[in-house]
Amino acid sequence: MRARGPAPTRYNLIRSKRRLGRVERGTDLLRRKRQALVGELFRLARAAVDARAGVEKGAEAFYPALLRALAVHGGDGLEAAGWPPRDIEVEILTARTWGIGIAEIIDRSPILRSLPARGTAPALTGPAAAEAAGRLEVLIELLLDAASREMLIRRLGHALAHTSRQLNTLELRVAPELGEQIARTRRILEEREREEHARVKHLMRDRSTTRQRRPTPLAGLP
């Protein structure tokens, strides 16, 4: 059965050693990258958990207020009170960390508004709709604050999983296979050297024996 891998030559042995060196350097780099990603995830985890808890509290406060406003004004009444819609502008800063593209919201247009800023008459709108609008604006603000952290943690998590798979592949498959190739090539080359040495010794011994057995010519004979 033919052995796997390149032919057992000195050139391939040198190539395998160089490739194993690159694999070891890549393994070290991936290990440091994984440690950095884990540290970054732990650093952001508490802030992300607090932001998510804030979103949950904001949602718990908004939905009862929305139900009360729907009970008073109905869906059509709330839609008319919310007209015209407005755009929320955000400024996003993009960067890269360990080759991972990230985005962070660094500025945005104001979310919370007063009753006059909403352009609705308090007497016609009523307290239920005003409370629902205020709770919704608070919830939107919390969601925008949590969005960049959530996206960053998600991308870091994907990058950490991908890095761990790459590291496991190099450590558990590529490096052992290269080590086995190097050991096999060395063993075959050493066996060839021993066989060559034994063959040279055998040839030298045969040549020495032939010289000793060669007949000596008699003196005086032509």
Side-chain angles (χ1 to χ4, degrees), residues 33 36-37 40 44 94-102 152 156 159:
K33 178 180 179 180
L37 291 175
E40 191 70 12
L44 297 172
T94 60
R96 299 187 72 85
T97 174
W98 284 94
I100 305 166
I102 59 176
L152 178 57
L156 289 175

Side-chain angles (χ1 to χ4, degrees), residues 23-40:
V23 168
E24 291 175 348
R25 291 191 296 271
T27 299
D28 181 66
L29 180 62
L30 287 174
R31 191 179 294 111
R32 289 190 284 117
K33 178 180 179 180
R34 185 175 65 178
Q35 292 174 353
L37 291 175
V38 170
E40 191 70 12

Side-chain angles (χ1 to χ4, degrees), residues 112-132:
L112 299 178
R113 297 180 297 177
S114 61
L115 287 177
R118 294 193 184 110
T120 57
L124 298 177
T125 304
E131 181 186 6

Side-chain angles (χ1 to χ4, degrees), residues 2-9 12 16 19 177-178 180-182 184-185 188:
R2 188 175 181 180
R4 295 182 302 170
T9 62
N12 288 331
S16 298
R19 187 182 176 193
E177 288 179 357
L178 284 174
E180 182 180 352
Q181 287 180 9
I182 292 172
R184 180 178 62 86
T185 303
I188 293 175

